[in-house]
Amino acid sequence: MDYVSPWMDAELDGFRSAVRRFVDHEIVPHQQHWREQQHVDREVWRKAGEMGLLLADVPDEYGGSGGSFAHQCVVFEELCYAGDTAFGLHVHAIVAHYLLNQGTEEQKRAYLPKLASGELIAAIAMSEPGAGSDLKGIRTTATRSGDGYRLNGSKTFISNGYMADLILVVAKTDPAAGSRGISLMLVETRDQSGSNCAGANVAGFRVGRILEKVGQKGQDTCELFFDDVHVPLENVLGGDEGRGFAQLMTELPYERSIVGVCGVASIERAIELTVAHAKERKAFGQALIEMQNTRFVLAEARTEAFVARVFVDRCIQDVIAGRMDTVQASMAKYWITDLQCKIVDQCVQLFGGYGYMLEYPIAQMYLDARVQRIYGGANEIMKEIIARSL
């Protein structure tokens, strides 16, 4: 289609071309290897940092590339168009924005340049074995002790957990205060042993096994354990206890907007792959694309994809303008990811038996898509947030 996203311009077109070349050369050839080893290689982070792709929308005074959310979206889209779900840039960028918007000046200058260069890899630790979308139910505690805190508890389903050098941990500094007793702690897990896994020499901190997931197998997702881990006083995000829940509510729309952006890009890729297959595949003496059912399914999918694209483009503009709110971000997150799973499933059906073979990208997309409806806040929670606004 001739539609061009209203936030795109000539400068972003050039940036997209550079990102696409990087993805083609540094990401695509390694995807199968990363799936087999269940994590990416650290070197790709450094290369992406050299290219200015890690924190594309962070001001250059903090080491970022000085672009807008549009630049970061170009990176996300190109990763999705290439079928990459391993390179955990999304989580990395999310942590950077917690620092940028909620951190003290000292915290920004200490960590953002290293995140931008790829020297540090970031993760955010919210979910626990007994608390997922219900953040008020977390049990991890950070107790004052001398010149810092003692962090105790466990986290699970942590993306980048195996690789992370800096983890933003959601913990209770005052368990009796409910949501007002939650704080976000910056936990450094820099490994000094040369191991690919961070945290090997951090007292009391342990990275558990890389979890065996249904999809997104190249993305390391781990359990993390904290046993009296020392956290300095100055590593409370923003400098004050008890602000964690408010910080989470403020920053989650950014995360959910990213999920929506990636969902639309994945939908567009699925349709493109399926149209190409339908033109080549013959059945009953004719190409699949010549069959009315195939054409109608693809016509519906293309229409829905266009609606989703226009919606997410508006969301991108709203993030850039600083007017994206929790309700709209929740709408984008739930509706687009539901649509992603629906359309990818329809595309698998049009591929027939080939769609069930992992050597075909559409099969991998089917496996990778399902978690989109779960992480970043389950879609049922998104509907509840929307409903409360009515």
Side-chain angles (χ1 to χ4, degrees):
M1 298 179 68
D2 293 332
Y3 174 81
V4 177
S5 295
W7 48 271
M8 284 295 297
D9 57 27
E11 187 270 330
L12 284 166
D13 278 333
F15 180 66
R16 185 183 293 278
S17 296
V19 174
R20 186 168 294 178
R21 287 193 297 272
F22 177 85
V23 172
D24 286 344
H25 291 124
E26 303 294 345
I27 301 289
V28 173
H30 306 292
Q31 287 175 323
Q32 184 56 39
H33 170 63
W34 291 341
R35 291 188 191 109
E36 291 169 358
Q37 72 177 11
Q38 295 185 298
H39 64 85
V40 304
D41 296 317
R42 187 171 286 270
E43 184 62 24
V44 73
W45 286 92
R46 298 192 183 99
K47 290 180 178 180
E50 291 172 2
M51 283 284 294
L53 305 184
L54 295 181
L55 302 186
D57 60 348
V58 168
D60 53 14
E61 66 178 297
Y62 298 117
S65 298
S68 72
F69 185 59
H71 292 80
Q72 198 71 71
C73 287
V74 167
V75 180
F76 295 143
E77 287 182 348
E78 289 304 317
L79 288 170
C80 290
Y81 291 150
D84 177 73
T85 55
F87 186 35
L89 171 60
H90 313 78
V91 175
H92 188 82
I94 289 163
V95 173
H97 275 262
Y98 274 92
L99 279 161
L100 179 65
N101 299 325
Q102 307 294 334
T104 65
E105 189 65 22
E106 292 76 14
Q107 290 167 349
K108 295 175 190 179
R109 297 197 179 278
Y111 296 117
L112 285 174
K114 293 179 180 179
L115 294 177
S117 68
E119 180 181 347
L120 296 182
I121 298 171
I124 184 166
M126 296 188 195
S127 296
E128 297 182 1
S133 296
D134 178 17
L135 293 175
K136 295 179 182 178
I138 65 167
R139 301 181 65 181
T140 298
T141 59
T143 306
R144 280 291 298 268
S145 176
D147 61 348
Y149 296 85
R150 292 294 173 182
L151 188 65
N152 286 278
S154 63
K155 300 290 184 177
T156 193
F157 312 138
I158 308 306
S159 299
N160 288 357
Y162 179 78
M163 303 289 291
D165 309 295
L166 179 68
I167 304 176
L168 187 63
V169 180
V170 183
K172 287 188 174 179
T173 44
D174 185 356
S179 62
R180 295 182 180 179
I182 293 175
S183 303
L184 305 186
M185 319 296 289
L186 292 160
V187 180
E188 298 181 51
T189 64
R190 169 60 96 178
D191 176 27
Q192 302 299 326
S193 70
S195 168
N196 196 44
C197 174
N201 293 331
V202 176
F205 175 70
R206 181 167 62 88
V207 178
R209 61 192 176 96
I210 296 180
L211 300 171
E212 187 69 29
K213 304 188 298 294
V214 171
Q216 301 196 8
K217 290 183 178 292
Q219 165 70 65
D220 62 290
T221 305
C222 293
E223 299 169 310
L224 304 178
F225 300 93
F226 305 90
D227 183 11
D228 270 349
V229 174
H230 174 71
V231 180
L233 288 176
E234 62 269 21
N235 279 32
V236 178
L237 185 68
D240 298 318
E241 290 184 14
R243 295 173 53 196
F245 193 77
Q247 291 168 335
L248 288 165
M249 294 304 101
T250 300
E251 298 303 320
L252 279 169
Y254 180 85
E255 175 179 353
R256 290 163 182 167
S257 299
I258 291 173
V259 175
V261 169
C262 294
V264 170
S266 296
I267 289 170
E268 292 168 341
R269 179 177 189 247
I271 294 171
E272 181 181 5
L273 291 171
T274 308
V275 169
H277 175 78
K279 289 179 178 179
E280 296 174 0
R281 176 70 174 165
K282 296 286 197 297
F284 303 103
Q286 59 183 330
L288 288 180
I289 197 71
E290 296 173 5
M291 298 179 177
Q292 187 181 67
N293 178 70
T294 302
R295 296 200 307 274
F296 281 11
V297 169
L298 290 173
E300 292 173 3
R302 190 66 191 90
T303 302
E304 291 173 316
F306 186 35
V307 173
R309 166 52 65 184
V310 173
F311 177 32
V312 85
D313 282 346
R314 168 59 189 267
C315 290
I316 292 169
Q317 291 176 301
D318 286 345
V319 173
I320 294 170
R323 59 175 179 259
M324 172 61 80
D325 61 31
T326 299
V327 173
Q328 185 177 334
S330 299
M331 290 176 178
K333 196 275 177 184
Y334 114 73
W335 185 75
I336 291 172
T337 59
D338 273 6
L339 183 65
Q340 177 186 355
C341 289
K342 171 191 167 185
I343 289 179
V344 172
D345 180 71
Q346 291 173 329
C347 290
V348 167
Q349 190 71 18
L350 290 176
F351 268 81
Y354 294 101
Y356 204 61
M357 301 296 112
L358 281 174
E359 63 187 275
Y360 282 76
I362 196 65
Q364 191 64 55
M365 292 184 71
Y366 178 82
L367 295 176
D368 292 344
R370 185 59 181 85
V371 74
Q372 284 268 94
R373 294 163 60 190
I374 298 173
Y375 57 27
N379 282 5
E380 291 75 17
I381 301 298
M382 300 301 97
K383 294 176 185 178
E384 181 63 26
I385 290 171
I386 298 163
R388 288 175 183 173
S389 73
L390 300 179

